Amino acid sequence: MEKQSFISLLSSNPYPGRGIVLGTSPDGLKSVAAYFIMGRSENSRNRVFVPTPDGIRTQAHDPNKMTNPELIIYHPVREIENYLIVTNGDQTDTIRDAIKNLDLKKQDQDQNQVKIAFQSALDTRTFEPDAPNYTPRISGLLFPDGGFSLSILKSYDGMPGEGRFLHTYQKDGNPLPSFEGEPVRVSLDAPNAEILANTIWDVMDEGNKISLYVRYTDIQSGSYQTVLLNKLSSGFRGRQIY
């Protein structure tokens, strides 16, 4: 599969919807996770990312403007047992609960069990009930060793400086055309989370972008840096690094 520039793909598409990138930093020492949301309606655009003890959740910037929380208020990122779950909906909790029920003892066996749990959890879900778009549910699972799985339930080895890009819509439209094909092989050239976050944020369509999450995790030590960017702020700074 030909590797493409993630930044070029993103900058040339004004509305890919929600997107997940999982991969590995150029030096091969850090796993990479990025998740963004975009929106066209006032209800969708009235959101920010806020940190939680195990990841992030979406929140209404102005609660008085929130008309329907279904499908837009959820936990996009949750961590359990050093596995990072990234999705575009409440299937994050479905996957987390499946992993939580495992009896994990040995590392090599753990990862196989977790992969099966990831697939089994997603087998219970379908596309979003938002006719006529029928938005796909995209999901990713980042392993402690830098490997990862995406919602097509295909596993990937983390290769230095590259990742896979998955998003909900091919482009803007009415109705919105769903993403087709396999996750796109993309280059990840940024050496740290802050640089990647700034680069992604700068090329996302100004009118449609809402929030961005980027995390770089050291594969050996497990330490990580996270960057949150919000177009709006609601008691939280527009930029957070932790």
Side-chain angles (χ1 to χ4, degrees):
M1 183 191 300
E2 180 185 359
K3 181 165 65 173
Q4 302 183 50
S5 167
F6 166 49
I7 299 304
S8 294
L9 287 170
L10 193 57
S11 63
S12 63
N13 188 349
Y15 196 62
R18 286 158 278 172
I20 297 171
V21 177
L22 300 180
T24 310
S25 62
D27 60 12
L29 300 178
K30 297 177 178 64
S31 60
V32 179
Y35 177 69
F36 63 80
I37 57 176
M38 304 176 78
R40 302 189 302 179
S41 68
E42 181 180 12
N43 193 45
S44 183
R45 291 178 175 180
N46 180 36
R47 290 182 293 171
V48 295
F49 284 165
V50 296
T52 66
D54 65 346
I56 60 172
R57 63 180 173 84
T58 59
Q59 176 178 288
H61 168 63
D62 183 349
N64 295 322
K65 292 183 178 180
M66 178 61 65
T67 58
N68 181 9
E70 186 181 8
L71 300 180
I72 65 171
I73 300 299
Y74 56 93
H75 290 81
V77 178
R78 304 197 85 153
E79 185 174 18
I80 181 170
E81 302 289 349
N82 296 320
Y83 291 85
L84 194 72
I85 307 163
V86 187
T87 90
N88 71 329
D90 62 8
Q91 70 267 30
T92 309
D93 296 343
T94 306
I95 298 167
R96 182 204 58 171
D97 291 345
I99 296 174
K100 187 177 180 180
N101 289 331
L102 297 176
D103 180 19
L104 302 179
K105 295 178 180 179
K106 296 182 179 179
Q107 185 174 356
D108 57 340
Q109 295 177 2
D110 289 355
Q111 188 153 300
N112 288 332
Q113 289 186 64
V114 171
K115 286 180 181 179
I116 294 170
F118 177 71
Q119 178 175 346
S120 298
L122 290 172
D123 284 345
T124 69
R125 306 303 302 267
T126 62
F127 49 77
E128 295 183 354
D130 61 341
N133 298 317
Y134 299 109
T135 301
R137 292 187 186 272
I138 58 175
S139 307
L141 181 67
L142 189 59
F143 307 136
D145 64 1
F148 53 92
S149 290
L150 289 168
S151 64
I152 59 169
L153 305 178
K154 178 179 179 181
S155 296
Y156 299 87
D157 293 324
M159 299 297 292
E162 71 173 53
R164 297 294 191 278
F165 180 37
L166 190 63
H167 50 94
T168 51
Y169 308 123
Q170 290 282 49
K171 58 182 180 180
D172 204 349
N174 195 14
L176 292 163
S178 296
F179 178 88
E180 295 180 353
E182 293 193 3
V184 182
R185 184 185 178 201
V186 297
S187 56
L188 290 172
D189 299 327
N192 60 57
E194 190 170 6
I195 291 175
L196 181 60
N198 290 336
T199 305
I200 294 174
W201 193 251
D202 287 345
V203 302
M204 289 174 69
D205 183 81
E206 185 63 31
N208 291 324
K209 68 183 177 184
I210 298 175
S211 300
L212 170 68
Y213 166 94
V214 174
R215 167 167 151 164
Y216 273 44
T217 306
D218 188 285
I219 294 172
Q220 293 297 320
S221 69
S223 62
Y224 59 86
Q225 181 190 42
T226 300
V227 179
L228 281 185
L229 298 179
N230 288 308
K231 189 173 183 179
L232 305 175
S233 59
S234 179
F236 293 86
R237 297 187 301 277
R239 175 187 299 269
Q240 290 180 276
I241 303 174
Y242 59 94

